[in-house]
Amino acid sequence: MLLNLTSLDLSSNSLTGAVPYQLSQLPGIARLNLGNNHLTNPKYGKFLPMPDLKTLSLANNDLNSMFPWFVLNCTGRRMRWLDLSANSYSGHIPSSLPEMIPRLRYLNLSHNEFSGTIPRSLPRLQRLQELRLYNNNLTGGIPEELGMLSELRTLHLWNNALDGPIPASLGNLTSLEFMDLSLNQLHGPIPASLGNLTSLEFMDLSQNQLHGSIPPCLAKMQQIRYFELSGNNLNGVIPPELFTNWTMLQLFDLSNNSFSGSIPPQIDNWVNLEVLYLHGNNFIGPIPAELGNITFLYWLDLSKNHFTGTVPSKIGAVSSLELLDVSTNHLEGELPASICNFTQLSYLILSHNKFRGTISNLNGMESPILCQLGNALHVLDLSHNQLFGELPSCIWSLWNLQFLDLSSNTLVGEVTTVMTNSTSSLISLHLSNNNFTGSFSAMLKNFKNLTILDLANNKISGTIPPWIRETNPLLRILILRSNMLHGSIPWQLSQLSYLHLLDLSKITLQVQYRIVSLTCLQCASP
């Protein structure tokens, strides 16, 4: 017998079988960690009291049934840390927890199947510092009594079915640093009392049914770093006090609400900002040039708003930018030459605006702007604008480009794909609704990874080559309608095993006999 053993850690192995009740016979055990294994339910009735146990983790095993009562009956009043997360426990959370383990400081019941309401007795755990109940099936409201947990620092209630308002009493949790109430069914306004959470660094109220505006008094939360309200029914303007006080902010997400007003130039007070999500709102006015002063910014999404004017050239000073999405606005003017400074850019999405000018404009550079973007670029979407001119062949030298959409512009000329012996990384290519010419066969070369090719409504000529199966075996969608193709439809198209959609309508083609096995064919007379 290991009479003097006080700590036993068997976590992160591949242990199987039932949790051994014999462990309760260790007289001095204080810390027991069996987490991250494949253990199953023990013989609860054989567990002996473990009066010295302070820390118990059974997280991430194969345990199920109701709340394990041996935890309450055997562990005693010295328990400080209890982690039962990532199992399949179900039923209600027992209201007797505070009486059985009154000194608990850490409680993690997340990633289970607990149902019912959050016990109103939990606030009697007066020493509780972390409460993690996320990813369960909890219903009812958030108990007002939780505001009595004066030492609470972390509150995780996300991804349940909690409804009702956010209790104003949560504003009493002045030690709180982390609060996540997202992915529930909470409704009503954001309580102004939350402004009293002056220690708060993380607040996530996203994906609920909240309405009303952002209380200006939230500006008192000067330690805030992550603030997320996406996917609610909120409206109004961003309180100007936030731009003054939140100097430590790193992430700001108001996406998919009904916020309005403009972005003030004082946004550059957020010198530490890394992520700005404002998409899916009703913001108006110009994009402030002061965004170019936020040097740590790497994700900027202003899409689906009502912004006007041009993209300020000063934004090119943010060389760390990885995503720029200003699509579906009312922006105009030429593409700013400064975008060539985005050497880390992976996503450039400018679609559904009124950008104009030639796409191959050199602007005093050795090659067109787009070709200066660098090999970090994965997605380039300039569709639904007023761009014209020829497509520069150097664009195919962006070797990591996977998605290219230039559709619905007025681009002309042949789509030349002259490259080295290397193969393009393109997976999805959209060039429809332009005035492109040239041979269809030439466009297939070097695009061996293509799954989607849409050339509809152009002036592409030539024939569909029989070797398409060998050169483009991954094609899932091929749209060639309304072009100038001629000749026969090669039977080899039926051998493209991944093909889901083939649209050859409004072109003059003849069907070969062996094509009949291709059930997804759409072919209409011109």
Side-chain angles (χ1 to χ4, degrees), residues 275-332:
V275 176
L276 179 61
Y277 287 148
L278 300 180
H279 56 277
N281 282 284
N282 297 313
F283 289 110
I284 60 173
I287 297 175
E290 286 75 11
L291 284 172
N293 298 331
I294 306 177
T295 55
F296 296 111
L297 193 64
Y298 67 90
W299 280 59
L300 176 58
D301 192 342
L302 307 179
S303 63
K304 298 179 182 177
N305 280 286
H306 304 288
F307 290 112
T308 55
T310 61
V311 176
S313 60
K314 191 176 180 180
I315 203 171
V318 189
S319 58
S320 59
L321 208 61
E322 296 179 9
L323 178 144
L324 175 60
D325 189 349
V326 296
S327 61
T328 317
N329 279 286
H330 306 292
L331 300 169
E332 57 188 12

Side-chain angles (χ1 to χ4, degrees), residues 251-265:
L251 182 147
F252 189 67
D253 185 357
L254 302 185
S255 60
N256 298 316
N257 281 283
S258 297
F259 289 107
S260 56
S262 59
I263 304 176

Side-chain angles (χ1 to χ4, degrees), residues 37 113 140 183 236 287 346 416 480:
N37 284 291
E113 299 172 13
L183 292 163
I287 297 175
S346 294
T416 55
L480 304 176

Side-chain angles (χ1 to χ4, degrees), residues 156-371:
H156 278 282
L157 302 179
W158 58 271
N159 199 22
N160 280 284
L162 300 172
D163 56 15
I166 298 173
S169 62
L170 295 187
N172 299 328
L173 303 176
T174 54
S175 297
L176 201 63
E177 299 173 356
F178 193 109
M179 180 170 69
D180 193 342
L181 311 181
S182 63
L183 292 163
N184 280 288
Q185 300 169 20
L186 302 172
H187 55 79
I190 299 172
S193 61
L194 297 186
N196 297 326
L197 304 178
T198 54
S199 299
L200 200 65
E201 298 181 10
F202 183 105
M203 176 187 281
D204 191 349
L205 308 180
S206 61
Q207 305 300 317
N208 279 288
Q209 300 168 19
L210 302 174
H211 60 78
S213 57
I214 300 175
C217 60
L218 294 190
K220 293 187 295 184
M221 303 187 305
Q222 296 188 28
Q223 302 300 312
I224 198 74
R225 296 176 184 270
Y226 301 89
F227 185 74
E228 302 185 45
L229 298 179
S230 65
N232 281 287
N233 300 311
L234 298 163
N235 55 31
V237 301
I238 304 174
E241 297 90 340
L242 304 189
F243 298 104
T244 303
N245 290 6
W246 286 6
T247 56
M248 302 181 68
L249 193 67
Q250 294 176 258
L251 182 147
F252 189 67
D253 185 357
L254 302 185
S255 60
N256 298 316
N257 281 283
S258 297
F259 289 107
S260 56
S262 59
I263 304 176
Q266 289 79 13
I267 194 171
D268 63 358
N269 288 334
W270 292 349
V271 293
N272 296 301
L273 192 66
E274 297 177 353
V275 176
L276 179 61
Y277 287 148
L278 300 180
H279 56 277
N281 282 284
N282 297 313
F283 289 110
I284 60 173
I287 297 175
E290 286 75 11
L291 284 172
N293 298 331
I294 306 177
T295 55
F296 296 111
L297 193 64
Y298 67 90
W299 280 59
L300 176 58
D301 192 342
L302 307 179
S303 63
K304 298 179 182 177
N305 280 286
H306 304 288
F307 290 112
T308 55
T310 61
V311 176
S313 60
K314 191 176 180 180
I315 203 171
V318 189
S319 58
S320 59
L321 208 61
E322 296 179 9
L323 178 144
L324 175 60
D325 189 349
V326 296
S327 61
T328 317
N329 279 286
H330 306 292
L331 300 169
E332 57 188 12
E334 295 189 354
L335 303 180
S338 60
I339 65 174
C340 67
N341 297 329
F342 298 144
T343 56
Q344 305 300 316
L345 199 67
S346 294
Y347 303 87
L348 178 59
I349 306 174
L350 310 180
S351 61
H352 291 87
N353 280 288
K354 300 177 183 178
F355 291 116
R356 61 182 183 273
T358 173
I359 199 171
S360 58
N361 189 0
L362 297 179
N363 282 331
M365 301 180 180
E366 294 182 359
S367 62
I369 297 172
L370 297 180
C371 301

Side-chain angles (χ1 to χ4, degrees), residues 126-184:
Q126 283 295 302
R127 299 185 181 183
L128 197 64
Q129 296 179 358
E130 296 196 30
L131 178 60
R132 300 171 182 264
L133 304 179
Y134 60 90
N135 204 16
N136 278 286
N137 301 314
L138 299 173
T139 56
I142 299 174
E144 293 184 4
E145 291 84 351
L146 288 187
M148 300 169 58
L149 291 169
S150 58
E151 296 187 20
L152 198 66
R153 296 180 181 178
T154 299
L155 178 60
H156 278 282
L157 302 179
W158 58 271
N159 199 22
N160 280 284
L162 300 172
D163 56 15
I166 298 173
S169 62
L170 295 187
N172 299 328
L173 303 176
T174 54
S175 297
L176 201 63
E177 299 173 356
F178 193 109
M179 180 170 69
D180 193 342
L181 311 181
S182 63
L183 292 163
N184 280 288

